[in-house]
Amino acid sequence: MKLTGKHLKRIQLAIMDGYSQESLRRMVRIQMDVNLQHVAGGANFADVVWNLIEWAEAQNRLQELIDGAYAENPNNAELKALHAEAQGWFAPPPKPEASKSEPIRVESASTPTKPHHAFLSYAHQDADVMRELRRQLGAAGITTWLDEDNLEPGTPEWQSAIEEGIKQAKCLIVLLSPDAKKVEVGKYRNHRGVTPAEAHLPGPGARG
């Protein structure tokens, strides 16, 4: 902080309370390694102290002067109070906190779907069986695509989403059960040339 005339007057009075001109000369020589007569003259002791303070301020050694005056006479009440008060004068200003900004996320216009090993097709009546199969596949390191994980309720183009899931899968697994036979599983065979063998579906003429 920038010290005012009142601050400098406070320093002058404390030094005059704790020192005579001779003891001040010794303190300045010991604590600051300068000769008092070379840096501060004056017609009287008050002028000498004031000129010393202005010299120390110009040399950016004012805190050194206060610390040295207290170190040489720590039992003086005025110097002790001045030293404690001056700690706040010369303390560096607190650093402004860096503003916390959210990391910029850059996303492409179309983020590709993460490929899966297998697309699971099942009748919803077989959900429990499907989940057990999925658990076993996951234990073997095989990832699966499921409608209940990848389709939110009310998805407007659910058919397109399912087809995209099939595209990203390396194989199609269909759970065939009496309930599943009621579902038109044959529609998956037509997707990108998927054959009955690739889709794990019965071929034409095979018995379900």
Side-chain angles (χ1 to χ4, degrees), residues 19-207:
Y19 289 93
S20 65
Q21 187 160 336
E22 179 58 26
S23 61
L24 179 63
R25 182 188 67 78
R26 289 196 301 269
M27 184 275 292
V28 171
R29 187 72 176 93
I30 294 170
Q31 294 293 329
M32 304 183 72
D33 197 25
V34 295
N35 191 314
L36 181 62
Q37 286 84 352
H38 292 169
V39 299
N44 52 57
F45 184 47
D47 288 344
V48 171
V49 173
W50 183 261
N51 291 334
L52 173 64
I53 292 170
E54 288 192 325
W55 170 86
E57 183 182 32
Q59 298 295 318
N60 198 26
R61 299 182 68 178
L62 199 52
Q63 183 177 9
E64 184 182 355
L65 172 61
I66 295 172
D67 290 344
Y70 172 67
E72 282 295 304
N73 192 1
N75 295 323
N76 181 272
E78 288 296 320
L79 290 173
K80 184 175 183 179
L82 172 65
H83 182 260
E85 185 179 343
Q87 300 308 304
W89 299 351
F90 304 103
K95 295 181 179 179
E97 293 185 4
S99 59
K100 298 179 181 179
S101 58
E102 293 294 329
I104 299 175
R105 300 177 60 186
V106 179
E107 298 181 356
S108 59
S110 58
T111 303
T113 306
K114 182 180 178 181
H116 298 276
H117 291 123
F119 180 99
L120 283 181
S121 176
Y122 65 100
H124 284 279
Q125 294 89 333
D126 300 326
D128 292 339
V129 177
M130 174 276 299
R131 294 189 181 98
E132 175 59 23
L133 173 61
R134 186 193 189 192
R135 185 191 66 77
Q136 294 181 22
L137 291 172
I142 300 174
T143 59
T144 54
W145 190 102
L146 286 176
D147 55 356
E148 66 179 23
D149 291 338
N150 296 278
L151 292 182
E152 297 181 0
T155 300
E157 297 182 1
W158 62 272
Q159 183 65 36
S160 298
I162 289 176
E163 291 178 357
E164 182 63 24
I166 296 174
K167 286 182 183 180
Q168 299 297 331
K170 295 182 179 180
C171 70
L172 172 66
I173 301 175
V174 179
L175 299 184
L176 293 179
S177 69
D179 291 314
K181 289 180 180 180
K182 300 176 184 179
V183 181
E184 297 179 4
V185 294
K187 62 185 177 183
Y188 297 118
R189 295 176 177 168
N190 299 323
H191 179 72
R192 295 186 65 189
V194 176
T195 66
E198 291 171 335
H200 297 265
L201 296 173
R207 294 182 181 179

